[in-house]
Amino acid sequence: MAHLAWRLAQRWCPSSLQVISFPVVQLHLNRTAMRASQKDFENAMNQVKLLKKDPGNEVKLKLYSLYKQATEGPCNMPKPGVFDLINKAKWDAWNALGSLPKETARQNYVDLVSSLSSSLESSSQVEPGTDRKSTGYETLMVTSEDGITKIMLNRPTKKNALNVEMYHEIMHALKAASKDDSAITVLTGNGDYYSSGNDLTNFTDIPPGGVEEKAKNGAVLLREFVGCFIDFPKPLIASGQCPALGHLPSPSLGYSIAVYASDRATFHTPFSHLGQSPEGCSSYTFPKIMSPAKATEMLVFGKKLTAGEACAQGLVTEVFPDSTFQKEVWTRLKAFAKLPPNAMRISKEIIRNREKEKLHAVNAEECSVLQGRWLSDECMNAVVNFLSRKSKL
Ligand SMILES: CCCCC/C=C/CC(=O)SCCNC(=O)CCNC(=O)[C@H](O)C(C)(C)COP(=O)(O)OP(=O)(O)OC[C@H]1O[C@@H](n2cnc3c(N)ncnc32)[C@H](O)[C@@H]1OP(=O)(O)O
């Protein structure tokens, strides 16, 4: 099922709606004097699920609000907090319909869907088996082909720093990949950095509850994010051709991520430099995999490892020359994707399940410690120094 169709079918669950920066799509509502019947309304709902192209956030909000108004009447939900951006956008859209009668909302919904169906391609025109390419993500490119779902971080101008939207989108993409018909999932980055870790501007957006609330929200988000990796059921492969900082070099998450790196890649977890502490379960997995002394160099002193060093330490599965990296990796991935998917999933489960509870506990503890670190002068100074261009890693 196409990604968008899934999302539409869910009527935009809060975690999947990107509201902020889609271009506004001009709507040409075809208002008719006729009243839409319940059957027309249901047909329109089904039609929405068949849309292949993303109509844009503005339109999705409109559809959402009309649907809610048509089925429940005027907005009856408490207003979400300013930081709950997605739910707030949905609430605003619904609330803006005021006391619009249910029948009119139903008619407007039907008209809107009809105008979309004529202007956007519907999935019935897509040949079965056509490769899927996501259109609904702002910060990722997600494609699925040959039994492989590829999740590519796609903020190359920001060195693929993870902003809040990207955290949510990665979680969404992982959840979708866990249910799609691909056998394996690959995580990679677009541009000259696999990722530069947490987007440090995340720290600048302070909610009314102040920095304490910010830190608390960050810890909740990080715990959920890392939890998605721990629980991901299929084989997950990180494919990195270039340097990686922070989160995503915690490759041993869940003990079941294979990591392929080019000889140009480096792995760097500069937590102390940033006044922070280990995350991604690295405080538990790195010392087990590398040895406590080597893990200390990396996690406490922020030692950057070359791909060769990381491979020697067991953090990386295999290193390839940069010039042949893509060919080598994709040859392997395509072969893995032909293996029986259930056998791979079950094998992963049996490897991981012994450690799963422990990993969730470590994750919770790391996030709680980090919550405190984010309020420290050490962390705030490091972020200010980066943002004021005084420091780089
Ligand atoms: C929910 C919250 C959970 C938090 C959990 C904590 C996680 C810990 C970590 O993630 S630790 C890692 C944090 N990352 C960093 O400290 C990296 C900071 N970036 C750099 O040091 C450098 O940018 C670089 C070494 C990655 C690349 O240097 P280079 O000179 O090649 O490129 P620029 O510095 O000019 O970067 C290009 C633009 O990208 C922006 N950018 C890069 N990294 C980040 C980042 N992590 N956060 C925000 N923005 C980043 C940079 O500002 C440039 O933007 P501009 O073109 O608009 O100026």
Side-chain angles (χ1 to χ4, degrees):
M1 183 165 45
H3 168 69
L4 176 66
W6 181 88
R7 297 172 81 187
L8 292 170
Q10 299 290 316
R11 295 192 192 94
W12 305 293
C13 67
S15 64
S16 67
L17 180 65
Q18 297 94 52
V19 182
I20 315 298
S21 53
F22 269 94
V24 176
V25 174
Q26 291 298 320
L27 300 177
H28 304 286
L29 295 185
N30 170 26
R31 298 187 186 282
T32 66
M34 282 170 61
R35 289 242 161 136
S37 65
Q38 181 60 24
K39 184 84 192 137
D40 295 333
F41 186 52
E42 282 162 18
N43 285 344
M45 284 191 280
N46 288 332
Q47 189 109 31
V48 161
K49 294 176 196 165
L50 295 174
L51 291 174
K52 186 181 165 253
K53 284 190 182 162
D54 191 324
N57 282 330
E58 202 80 15
V59 177
K60 288 192 287 190
L61 280 173
K62 190 81 197 161
L63 283 166
Y64 167 81
S65 60
L66 288 170
Y67 171 82
K68 294 294 274 185
Q69 191 86 7
T71 53
E72 294 179 38
C75 183
N76 54 13
M77 308 265 294
K79 187 174 181 174
V82 279
F83 257 80
D84 190 356
L85 295 177
I86 293 167
N87 283 320
K88 175 141 183 333
K90 292 165 80 176
W91 187 90
D92 286 342
W94 185 10
N95 194 48
L97 295 181
S99 56
L100 188 77
K102 278 183 170 183
E103 297 72 30
T104 313
R106 197 164 68 180
Q107 178 67 58
N108 290 356
Y109 183 95
V110 171
D111 287 345
L112 175 51
V113 174
S114 147
S115 74
L116 290 172
S117 302
S118 50
S119 62
L120 300 172
E121 215 183 337
S122 96
S123 66
S124 57
Q125 292 163 303
V126 179
E127 281 177 38
T130 303
D131 295 340
R132 289 164 293 157
K133 184 169 183 172
S134 80
T135 51
Y137 293 104
E138 282 285 295
T139 66
L140 306 177
M141 277 175 66
V142 183
T143 50
S144 203
E145 193 177 355
D146 295 335
I148 305 168
T149 292
K150 181 169 87 171
I151 301 173
M152 180 187 270
L153 312 185
N154 194 28
R155 294 184 76 213
T157 57
K158 297 289 177 187
K159 310 292 178 192
N160 293 324
L162 284 97
N163 61 8
V164 171
E165 191 170 21
M166 197 190 265
Y167 283 109
H168 283 291
E169 290 197 342
I170 292 174
M171 289 192 279
H172 186 279
L174 286 173
K175 283 176 190 158
S178 72
K179 292 188 207 117
D180 70 15
D181 54 9
S182 63
I184 62 174
T185 302
V186 181
L187 197 57
T188 183
N190 187 14
D192 62 352
Y193 258 76
Y194 182 87
S195 171
S196 59
N198 184 44
D199 188 317
L200 296 174
T201 64
N202 287 339
F203 288 107
T204 60
D205 198 4
I206 306 298
V211 285
E212 285 81 10
E213 187 184 333
K214 180 82 204 169
K216 190 169 159 222
N217 294 344
V220 169
L221 177 60
L222 182 63
R223 185 170 169 186
E224 195 188 347
F225 177 74
V226 174
C228 275
F229 284 84
I230 297 172
D231 289 334
F232 190 70
K234 294 181 181 177
L236 184 59
I237 294 112
S239 163
Q241 199 159 1
C242 29
L245 267 159
H247 291 303
L248 295 164
S250 304
S252 47
L253 258 173
Y255 285 104
S256 36
I257 298 183
V259 182
Y260 294 122
S262 92
D263 52 13
R264 187 163 61 89
T266 54
F267 296 83
H268 193 190
T269 48
F271 302 125
S272 300
H273 293 70
L274 294 165
Q276 298 183 38
S277 48
E279 42 82 30
C281 296
S282 54
S283 65
Y284 176 69
T285 55
F286 279 28
K288 279 189 107 172
I289 291 169
M290 306 169 79
S291 89
K294 290 287 182 194
T296 299
E297 274 196 319
M298 205 172 169
L299 297 176
V300 180
F301 302 141
K303 183 181 176 190
K304 190 190 285 184
L305 298 191
T306 63
E309 288 166 336
C311 191
Q313 299 296 333
L315 281 178
V316 164
T317 314
E318 200 168 348
V319 181
F320 303 103
D322 198 49
S323 55
T324 56
F325 178 75
Q326 292 297 342
K327 186 168 159 277
E328 297 280 4
V329 170
W330 282 92
T331 304
R332 280 161 182 75
L333 296 180
K334 283 182 182 167
F336 298 157
K338 291 200 175 86
L339 294 170
N342 289 337
M344 288 198 284
R345 196 175 38 74
I346 288 165
S347 299
K348 173 166 176 174
E349 201 171 290
I350 202 165
I351 298 170
R352 182 193 48 184
N353 276 2
R354 279 186 214 107
E355 291 285 355
K356 205 168 163 181
E357 212 177 304
K358 176 73 184 169
L359 289 166
H360 279 298
V362 171
N363 181 27
E365 189 191 349
E366 287 180 346
C367 291
S368 159
V369 172
L370 263 173
Q371 185 176 333
R373 291 311 306 159
W374 290 330
L375 298 173
S376 70
D377 286 347
E378 289 178 347
C379 177
M380 289 192 193
N381 289 339
V383 172
V384 169
N385 283 342
F386 173 73
L387 295 177
S388 57
R389 312 276 170 219
K390 284 194 200 141
S391 72
K392 268 187 200 188
L393 291 168

